[in-house]
């Protein structure tokens, strides 16, 4: 797999080259696909407000990215402890899949209980 699909060279206000990463494109494509599937299935099941499942997908994406970043920082704390500003420089990479999965799973359980839905 190519880590970068393409790279835009630095120019003008860009201090660093801007890269479009394959991982980010796949995350975005998965998000769009899952959101469409969720809302379609909710309509098919007769859900009165299928858009709340689109909202769930959006929040799961955000929570998953935050969890992925947090675990990456924890695992690589030695690289970040001297310059804490780099924690927020997510465009330089640094996500751990299972950190996002675990935090998104916890949020999904919370959401299901809050909305009186079965988890599965």
């Amino acid at each position: 797999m190519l880590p970068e699909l393409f790279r835009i060279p630095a120019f003008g206000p860009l201090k660093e080259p801007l890269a479009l990463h394959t991982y980010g494109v796949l995350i975005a494509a998965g998000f769009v696909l899952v959101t469409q599937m969720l809302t379609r299935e909710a309509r098919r099941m007769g859900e009165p407000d299928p858009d709340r499942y689109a909202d769930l997908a959006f929040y799961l994406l955000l929570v998953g990215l935050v969890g992925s970043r947090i675990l990456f920082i924890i695992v690589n704390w030695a690289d970040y402890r001297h310059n804490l500003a780099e924690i927020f420089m997510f465009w330089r990479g640094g996500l751990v899949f299972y950190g996002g999965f675990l935090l998104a799973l916890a949020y999904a359980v919370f959401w299901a209980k809050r909305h009186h839905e079965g988890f599965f």
Side-chain angles (χ1 to χ4, degrees):
M1 179 172 89
L2 296 172
E4 295 178 0
L5 293 177
F6 63 86
R7 181 179 284 257
I8 299 171
F11 67 93
L14 286 177
K15 305 271 189 243
E16 298 178 8
L18 185 64
L20 182 64
H21 295 274
T22 306
Y23 189 66
V25 170
L26 293 176
I27 288 172
F31 170 73
V32 170
L33 181 65
V34 165
T35 303
Q36 292 298 318
M37 290 172 58
L38 273 173
T39 54
R40 184 184 321 155
E41 185 65 17
R43 282 189 191 96
R44 191 182 71 76
M45 300 282 290
E47 175 67 37
D49 186 14
D51 289 337
R52 74 183 183 144
Y53 291 99
D55 293 343
L56 171 63
F58 176 74
Y59 289 121
L60 286 173
L61 174 70
L62 289 180
V63 168
L65 289 172
V66 168
S68 295
R69 183 67 177 169
I70 287 171
L71 189 56
F72 181 82
I73 291 164
I74 289 170
V75 169
N76 296 292
W77 179 245
D79 297 336
Y80 290 97
R81 70 175 180 219
H82 298 297
N83 188 0
L84 297 180
E86 287 186 8
I87 289 172
F88 302 104
M89 296 179 187
F90 58 88
W91 57 89
R92 292 186 178 174
L95 300 174
V96 174
F97 166 77
Y98 49 91
F101 175 76
L102 292 174
L103 197 58
L105 181 64
Y107 180 79
V109 169
F110 164 78
W111 185 91
K113 288 184 185 227
R114 183 172 182 222
H115 291 277
H116 307 290
E117 295 275 345
F119 177 72
F120 291 104

